[in-house]
Amino acid sequence: MSIFEQMASYEHEQLIFCMEPRAGLRAIIAIHDTTLGPALGGVRMWMYSSEQEAIEDSLRLSRAMTYKAAVAGLNLGGGKAVIIGDPRTQKSEMLFRAFGRFVETLGGRYITAEDVGTTVADMEWIRMETRYVTGVLGKSGDPSPFTAHGVYWGMKACAKVAFGSDSLANRTVVVQGAGNVARHLVEYLVREGVRVYVSDVFPEKAQRLCHEVGGIPVEADAVYDIPCDIFSPNALGGMINEETIPRLQCAIVAGAANNPLRDEHADARRLHERGILYAPDYVINAGGLMNVAAELEGNYDPKAVMARTAHIYDTLLRVFRIANERGILPTEAAAAMAEERLAAFASLRRLFPGGQVKR
Ligand code: NAD
């Protein structure tokens, strides 16, 4: 497929290739849709095996940001950037400053933030070149606590639908991945009296988390076979797939991981056929984006953002209600909600502003 055909298939507005050989920068900025506002999304640094893989990732991730913002009711569009390179060895001040200059040329059409492979410190270098960067030091900072709070409330909404009560006390939750989001999530769950199992590909991370916060560490490969109420993917994408779905022994899949389904359509259908309720990723993990959006709005108040993330409970209930009413999957209901908001906003009449006539 040509690049334009790929852009057309996802309905992208713009794809920008950025190159600064002196800093070793090869980056792609994907702007999916700015109907609702500036395209916001993190910059990911990854060792892509090909340019094609980097393009595909930027297109897929930026589109998900449009849907995430639309369902969360934020005035933001969807964008994402990728830098091709090894984040462990190829980072430098000049690399991020060069990237910041490209962001600045877009005049606010794209606003960047941290993502896989980039940190708050990298955002500081970007900030030296552009105002269009969020999640910087002294402002909204680490989004993980907000994401975790939203996921926790999202789990409660799932429990309400699956079990008739949103209390998680005495339930069993398997948490896959013992990273930043998982740490805060496990804290909420333990506090509510949940029996929590935690795994990580680095077992010492799971052990440390359980030692410090609570929970029972388990082997990474064992997670799919543990009988539980909720399976919570909080590691990388693609973990829920044709091989793992038949092994799951849960009633609900709900976690922070982006793109946890390897095949968005087929795996959602497989979960449904197994009677497992799935919380669409970009609905339940929108807490971090809400945090960044609040920073952009000004007068940043972390308490108010925390309260806002709890509304993911209501949003998910709405997703499940629409799915039920229309006889569609929750993933399809979430996409419909996003597309309906985009279409409604786009259909508003344009008004000619006054004060334009010169005498
Ligand atoms: P993180 O890098 O801190 O944690 C991920 C953890 O998963 C790491 O400890 C890693 O070792 C582990 N892991 C990788 N593969 C695994 C496997 N097969 N089994 C078990 N563990 C495995 O990342 P994070 O910030 O906690 O984010 C977790 C997920 O949530 C990611 O998919 C991220 O894209 C998504 N997400 C995060 C935020 C946020 O605010 N941080 C917001 C939205 C979505």
Side-chain angles (χ1 to χ4, degrees):
M1 228 196 278
S2 78
I3 292 177
F4 280 115
E5 279 166 351
Q6 283 182 73
M7 287 176 70
S9 73
Y10 287 120
E11 298 189 70
H12 275 75
E13 288 177 13
Q14 197 177 4
L15 198 62
I16 302 112
F17 291 84
C18 315
M19 170 124 166
E20 171 52 277
R22 288 157 214 85
L25 177 77
R26 283 186 304 151
I28 301 166
I29 300 172
I31 296 180
H32 176 250
D33 190 300
T34 54
T35 304
L36 297 174
L40 190 140
V43 50
R44 178 168 291 200
M45 185 163 181
W46 198 247
M47 305 142 285
Y48 292 102
S49 55
S50 66
E51 287 172 9
Q52 185 49 45
E53 197 193 346
I55 293 169
E56 180 70 28
D57 211 29
S58 70
L59 292 175
R60 225 167 32 98
L61 292 166
S62 55
R63 179 167 167 267
M65 292 305 294
T66 299
Y67 281 66
K68 191 183 291 200
V71 173
L74 301 172
N75 295 318
L76 292 169
K80 202 89 176 185
V82 299
I83 296 178
I84 301 173
D86 188 338
R88 290 167 303 184
T89 56
Q90 289 176 290
K91 280 189 182 181
S92 68
E93 176 184 350
M94 293 313 142
L95 179 93
F96 286 104
R97 292 189 73 153
F99 176 72
R101 288 187 177 187
F102 280 106
V103 173
E104 179 67 15
T105 64
L106 295 171
R109 260 176 71 65
Y110 168 68
I111 302 172
T112 198
E114 58 181 305
D115 197 72
V116 174
T118 57
T119 64
V120 173
D122 303 331
M123 296 309 116
E124 288 302 309
W125 282 326
I126 294 173
R127 180 157 68 155
M128 291 174 188
E129 303 294 337
T130 182
R131 287 158 289 166
Y132 305 117
V133 52
T134 55
V136 290
L137 287 176
K139 294 218 177 147
S140 71
D142 178 14
S144 306
F146 301 91
T147 304
H149 193 242
V151 171
Y152 166 68
W153 278 96
M155 280 183 174
K156 284 170 107 33
C158 293
K160 178 90 182 149
V161 170
F163 310 128
S165 159
D166 61 19
S167 168
L168 298 176
N170 301 317
R171 296 274 171 206
T172 302
V173 176
V174 170
V175 174
Q176 180 183 49
N180 294 324
V181 177
R183 169 167 292 266
H184 297 281
L185 177 62
V186 171
E187 223 173 313
Y188 289 121
L189 296 174
V190 167
R191 209 180 296 158
E192 193 169 332
V194 177
R195 185 179 177 81
V196 190
Y197 292 100
V198 185
S199 78
D200 200 285
V201 273
F202 300 110
E204 64 282 3
K205 282 190 85 170
Q207 279 154 12
R208 196 176 335 124
L209 192 156
C210 294
H211 178 70
E212 291 170 5
V213 183
I216 304 156
V218 287
E219 297 257 324
D221 292 340
V223 282
Y224 305 106
D225 307 304
I226 300 174
C228 59
D229 297 296
I230 304 177
F231 181 86
S232 184
N234 296 282
L236 302 183
M239 299 292 179
I240 311 291
N241 53 53
E242 202 172 356
E243 290 93 51
T244 57
I245 291 171
R247 289 167 62 186
L248 290 176
Q249 301 191 50
C250 59
I252 295 163
V253 170
N258 280 314
N259 304 318
L261 307 181
R262 191 187 288 160
D263 182 322
E264 203 180 312
H265 303 293
D267 293 326
R269 169 106 5 237
R270 285 188 186 101
L271 286 171
H272 179 72
E273 281 164 4
R274 282 218 47 210
I276 297 172
L277 187 68
Y278 172 66
D281 54 348
Y282 58 80
V283 182
I284 194 168
N285 74 14
L289 182 62
M290 291 174 177
N291 188 46
V292 165
E295 177 183 325
L296 286 174
E297 282 163 12
N299 295 326
Y300 175 66
D301 174 4
K303 275 202 191 117
V305 182
M306 252 333 161
R308 191 172 190 179
T309 59
H311 291 299
I312 287 176
Y313 178 94
D314 305 301
T315 310
L316 262 181
L317 286 185
R318 204 169 140 222
V319 167
F320 294 136
R321 196 181 60 242
I322 291 174
N324 202 23
E325 283 167 7
R326 301 189 192 174
I328 54 179
L329 299 175
T331 44
E332 293 165 341
M337 274 167 65
E339 284 159 13
E340 282 162 20
R341 179 167 148 81
L342 285 163
F345 191 75
S347 74
L348 286 182
R349 267 191 314 182
R350 287 174 61 102
L351 303 180
F352 185 78
Q356 302 276 322
V357 178
K358 292 208 173 63
R359 290 180 187 276

